[in-house]
Amino acid sequence: MAAHFGRLRKGATTTAVAAVAVAALSASQAPGVTTDDLGRQAAGAAQPSGDAKTGGAGGGATGDSPYYTDLPPLKSPNPSPSASPTTGTTVSVGEAEAGIPATVLDAYKKAEAELRASKPGCNLPWQLLAAIGKVESGQARGGRVDASGTTYSPILGPKLDGNGFALIADTDHGAYDGDPAYDRAVGPMQFIPSTWAWAGRDGNGDGKKDPNNVYDAALAAGHYLCRFDRDLSVQSQMNAAILNYNNSTEYLNTVLSWLEYYRKGTHEVPDGTGTLPSHSSNSDPGASPSPTTPATPSTPSTPRTPSTPKPGGAGSTSPTPKPPTPSSPAPSPTPPTPTQTVDHLEDANTGKLTATAGSAFGTKVVVRAESKASKGVAKVRVRFTIIGDTDATFTGGESVATVVTGSAGTAAAPALVAGEKTGDFTVRATVVGRVLGGLDYTATVTPRQADTLTRTSDTALTCVPGGEFADQVELKATYKGAVAGKVAATATLIKSADDATENDKGPYFKDADGKTIRTLTDLTTDADGVLKLPKLYADDASGTFLLRVNTAGGAVLTVELKVAAAAS
């Protein structure tokens, strides 16, 4: 069972017992955090005095709103070396708290990838975003998000009206938080509107910056943590970034504890099934309630029958029976999400996946998400993953793509683009947020081809015995009338038109050591389809000889070489 801090009001002093518990946990789980001789915690870096963009007094991204104080189990999860049969990614088996809802986990990892490209010096680990997401919103309330990553209902903090919290008057006219009087922290990463106005990002490519969308919020949080050219691989700079997010030493220690826990292993669970925290740093009634699963209402007790006074008693009377406690109305069942209604994936007439090296595949992988009744399910996230020894990618250079099913329940993967590696690889389709069997498709990359070879010059190729040919053989390859660049070819000096074996006399090439060689392999046409052979030499034999060039795809060209004494 997870340890926790208990409920602490902002600005209130913690008890000695809580301080000792915090110190013990931080000493074992939070790197970079120390304790003084009274058991109080101290961060490895000074707390920031304010936000550079807003000029606030340390309010950070969240306005120092309440957060969840549940700590991870003292026993960290153990990573499993096995790979998931449906996603192809390594999973780990551990406590329930180590499970992160699929879409939320996908958002954290996509944000890390974007920051790795745009701010490589920041070294942002996705586990830090997961730790902050756990503390701020319980991973979007256990992954209650739709196919695009938007929460089914807004996640709002309390009014920042100065009553136990910071005083932040409305800055967004209620656009994000629905409150036209005071600001409130919003969404899975709990941004206050004034910070979101400049820190917001579009993480899912829908053209909007929505703090209630986990892809947008995770990417915004990553950029927020990476400000000021921070290097988060340096503990003091990571501490400063976390404190700038929420200026509280207790908050820092809680986030670092979850960061350490997630670094030791985590795994993907279906959306809507994440472990929900229950303990808040503030019990203010105005704060959003903890997203715990409602308990089953209790059955009212039956009143006792009044007791009869005992004979000879002191005139005692029967107690007045208590009326039965009315039961709370049964909570209305939460309707299943579209993802939860998916029973399986079906192929949707995907054609043969074949392409030559360096070209786009003419066919896309198309699947259909279906219910048990074999009806298409819309608004479901389908993940397409390229698996195998290949340099093929989807359009845009990615090896993983996520697509939302349309009204008919179908999702088409982005176009595949073949790399230079030939052979087979696999494209796997799985449902994000469900543990279901996926669909595997075999794709094949064939070598580049040419169906025609021609000489670029019609000059006769002649030489005297023991001399060298003045002109080098230059050819051009085409395929279906188009230039055939980077096509493999072989050139051999053959015995005759009917005998393609290597000749042992007449013209020859030289290798790097100057030795005679009459077959050249590993030749490749250039980007324009041109192949220029090395210089040819002649031995003492005279006559007409043949050079034959073959390419992948079946193009063949035979060239005449004449060796004769010079005319007197």
Side-chain angles (χ1 to χ4, degrees):
M1 181 175 179
H4 57 82
F5 285 138
R7 299 179 181 272
L8 307 175
R9 187 172 182 81
K10 286 288 179 188
T13 305
T14 61
T15 63
V17 174
V20 172
V22 170
L25 285 165
S26 65
S28 63
Q29 292 185 310
V33 180
T34 60
T35 58
D36 61 18
D37 55 1
L38 297 178
R40 294 181 297 228
Q41 294 171 321
Q47 296 183 10
S49 60
D51 189 289
K53 287 279 185 182
T54 63
T62 69
D64 289 348
S65 296
Y67 54 90
Y68 291 108
T69 59
D70 297 44
L71 286 174
L74 293 175
K75 182 180 178 181
S76 296
N78 297 317
S80 167
S82 62
S84 166
T86 58
T87 64
T89 55
T90 300
V91 299
S92 49
V93 180
E95 301 285 349
E97 289 86 347
I100 299 177
T103 300
V104 180
L105 180 60
D106 189 50
Y108 297 149
K109 291 186 175 181
K110 275 187 167 53
E112 179 198 54
E114 196 278 344
L115 266 298
R116 190 186 305 122
S118 62
K119 296 183 179 179
C122 178
N123 295 305
L124 171 78
W126 66 260
Q127 292 91 340
L128 176 58
L129 296 176
I132 291 176
K134 179 73 173 181
V135 171
E136 291 293 350
S137 67
Q139 310 297 19
R141 290 180 174 167
R144 296 293 299 161
V145 296
D146 64 17
S148 67
T150 301
T151 58
Y152 286 116
S153 58
I155 301 175
L156 300 175
K159 295 181 179 180
L160 300 176
D161 57 5
N163 184 21
F165 308 100
L167 174 60
I168 303 179
D170 175 68
T171 61
D172 66 331
H173 304 291
Y176 294 124
D177 55 16
D179 191 331
Y182 299 97
D183 273 352
R184 304 172 73 170
V186 182
M189 305 304 276
Q190 289 289 278
F191 277 95
I192 55 175
S194 58
T195 301
W196 185 260
W198 59 266
R201 294 290 193 281
D202 176 14
N204 62 351
D206 63 357
K208 298 183 295 183
K209 300 176 183 179
D210 182 2
N212 289 300
N213 182 279
V214 70
Y215 286 93
D216 295 357
L219 184 57
H223 278 278
Y224 187 94
L225 294 165
C226 287
R227 293 178 305 152
F228 312 128
D229 294 325
R230 289 190 182 109
D231 179 358
L232 300 186
S233 65
V234 178
Q235 190 62 53
S236 61
Q237 295 189 39
M238 176 182 284
N239 292 351
I242 298 170
L243 286 168
N244 201 199
Y245 203 91
N246 190 318
N247 194 8
S248 162
T249 302
E250 289 81 5
Y251 179 86
L252 169 68
N253 293 328
T254 307
V255 169
L256 289 176
S257 293
W258 282 106
L259 169 63
E260 183 71 7
Y261 186 72
Y262 288 144
R263 275 176 165 167
K264 290 185 177 179
T266 187
H267 56 275
E268 180 181 291
V269 298
D271 290 342
T273 61
T275 301
L276 307 179
S278 58
H279 299 89
S280 174
S281 66
N282 193 290
S283 58
D284 187 274
S288 295
S290 300
T292 53
T293 305
T296 303
S298 58
T299 304
S301 59
T302 304
R304 294 185 180 181
T305 304
S307 61
T308 304
K310 293 183 180 180
S316 60
T317 60
S318 300
T320 303
K322 293 182 179 179
T325 303
S327 61
S328 302
S332 57
T334 303
T337 65
T339 300
Q340 291 170 332
T341 66
V342 176
D343 178 71
H344 59 276
L345 286 176
E346 282 288 334
D347 176 57
N349 297 318
T350 300
K352 188 176 181 180
L353 299 170
T354 304
T356 57
S359 65
F361 284 73
T363 302
K364 294 182 178 180
V365 176
V366 185
V367 299
R368 175 178 155 100
E370 295 186 353
S371 64
K372 285 186 177 180
S374 296
K375 292 184 177 180
V377 183
K379 298 182 179 180
V380 173
R381 295 175 62 81
V382 177
R383 179 182 298 147
F384 298 95
T385 307
I386 295 174
I387 301 171
D389 183 17
T390 180
D391 54 356
T393 64
F394 293 115
T395 302
E398 298 292 334
S399 60
V400 178
T402 304
V403 180
V404 179
T405 58
S407 58
T410 58
L416 284 164
V417 178
E420 295 303 321
K421 287 186 178 180
T422 59
D424 294 343
F425 64 92
T426 299
V427 179
R428 179 168 295 165
T430 56
V431 176
V432 177
R434 288 298 304 274
V435 181
L436 297 173
L439 293 179
D440 282 356
Y441 295 85
T442 299
T444 303
V445 179
T446 60
R448 296 170 187 265
Q449 300 178 20
D451 55 17
T452 304
L453 272 176
T454 58
R455 281 191 63 197
T456 60
S457 170
D458 57 3
T459 303
L461 298 167
T462 61
C463 181
V464 297
E468 61 182 52
F469 287 80
D471 295 310
Q472 291 177 243
V473 178
E474 185 176 89
L475 312 172
K476 186 164 186 177
T478 57
Y479 183 69
K480 295 182 179 180
V483 168
K486 299 182 180 179
V487 176
T490 301
T492 305
L493 291 154
I494 61 176
K495 291 183 177 180
S496 70
D498 299 325
D499 186 354
T501 58
E502 182 180 284
N503 204 347
D504 56 359
K505 60 182 179 178
Y508 62 91
F509 300 106
K510 290 182 180 180
D511 64 13
D513 297 325
K515 295 181 180 178
T516 298
I517 183 172
R518 288 190 168 89
T519 297
L520 297 176
T521 58
D522 298 327
L523 300 172
T524 306
T525 62
D526 64 16
D528 296 322
V530 174
L531 175 63
K532 190 171 186 177
L533 300 182
K535 182 171 289 190
L536 277 163
Y537 302 87
D539 60 14
D540 294 336
S542 60
T544 299
F545 301 90
L546 299 179
L547 167 67
R548 182 164 290 174
V549 182
N550 301 269
T551 69
V556 180
L557 179 65
T558 302
V559 180
E560 281 192 353
L561 306 173
K562 293 184 177 181
V563 180
S568 58

